[in-house]
Amino acid sequence: MRACVCLPTYDERENLEPMLRALGEVLGPDDRVLVIDDASPDGTGELADRLAGELPFVDVLHRPRKEGLGPAYLAGFRRALDAGAQLVVEMDCDFSHDPADVPRLLAAAGDADLVLGSRYVPGGGVENWGLVRRAISFGGSLYARLVLGVPVRDLTGGFKCFRREVLEALPLDRVRSRGYAFQIELTYRALRQGFRVQEVPIRFVDREAGGSKMSRAIVLEAIWKVPLLRLGRL
């Protein structure tokens, strides 16, 4: 397997099928998509199983309960590595990350160990967000960048491509973060270990179907965990 796109879902029934079909249009013959469903009560998991029977590039990982984005991704990463993936992509299922950008991230991994789809480099941006959401996102990335002392401009983004060597080297068993902090932590640990990190511009578009998973707890987690990362206490 060349690449595995890890696609965590919780109540994404409206978005799942169009997302999988869109990914099928841009992925290569040696690429796969792994749907990681946290027992969605809206039937997303059952739909994923049906689509996996129809679409040969789709696999499904069922988890018994909702535990947050970080644990879902970690489970997906382990499954992808066990399956032999050389590149592992993480992205949202709600079309805030454009599936047409996946080939750009995969291509950039030829010159980098970790590729970040970045909203805050020239050419990147966000659409359909209000002022408060923009402030939280940009402010969170700026806060993490200043506290951690790293040059990455979009530390909170969740559209990434890892070379397998990065995930094999990171202490995934020690990662306990769930939301923004999870994205910050993995990128920071990769930088600390000397891996090459590259940002490529993307346009982030707010979801049109389903509900946002953003919460006050996710924001607060990032605020208190970032200084602990810098102090080496995580």
Side-chain angles (χ1 to χ4, degrees), residues 141-213:
S141 284
L142 178 62
Y143 165 74
R145 178 157 54 99
L146 293 176
V147 172
L148 298 175
V150 298
V152 174
R153 299 191 64 84
D154 194 349
L155 279 164
T156 62
F159 195 12
K160 302 180 179 181
C161 177
F162 298 85
R163 295 178 66 87
R164 73 172 292 122
E165 293 83 1
V166 178
L167 294 176
E168 289 174 333
L170 296 182
L172 299 182
D173 290 340
R174 291 173 52 191
V175 176
R176 296 290 182 268
S177 303
R178 295 176 182 271
Y180 277 166
F182 174 80
Q183 307 297 357
I184 297 167
E185 182 173 352
L186 261 62
T187 298
Y188 182 63
R189 288 187 184 276
L191 288 165
R192 286 289 302 271
Q193 295 207 28
F195 288 110
R196 300 166 298 165
V197 177
Q198 177 182 341
E199 293 183 89
V200 298
I202 62 163
R203 301 294 298 179
F204 183 99
V205 181
D206 199 16
R207 67 162 61 231
E208 294 184 1
S212 173
K213 310 302 190 298

Side-chain angles (χ1 to χ4, degrees), residues 46-114:
E46 291 80 358
L47 175 60
D49 286 335
R50 179 176 68 77
L51 291 169
E54 178 183 346
L55 303 172
F57 59 90
V58 175
D59 300 303
V60 184
L61 172 60
H62 292 282
R63 287 162 40 82
R65 61 187 179 277
K66 183 181 180 182
E67 295 182 306
L69 195 64
Y73 270 132
L74 292 176
F77 292 167
R78 293 186 179 99
R79 175 69 66 88
L81 293 176
D82 287 345
Q86 299 303 305
L87 300 170
V88 180
V89 175
E90 63 167 74
M91 67 181 296
D92 294 341
C93 187
D94 60 7
F95 284 91
S96 55
H97 301 141
D98 188 345
D101 285 332
V102 170
R104 295 174 53 230
L105 269 65
L106 294 174
D111 298 314
D113 301 305
L114 170 56

Side-chain angles (χ1 to χ4, degrees), residues 143-144 147-148 184 221-231:
Y143 165 74
V147 172
L148 298 175
I184 297 167
E221 179 194 38
I223 291 173
W224 70 265
K225 280 195 171 181
V226 166
L228 296 182
L229 271 175
R230 181 62 187 265
L231 295 171

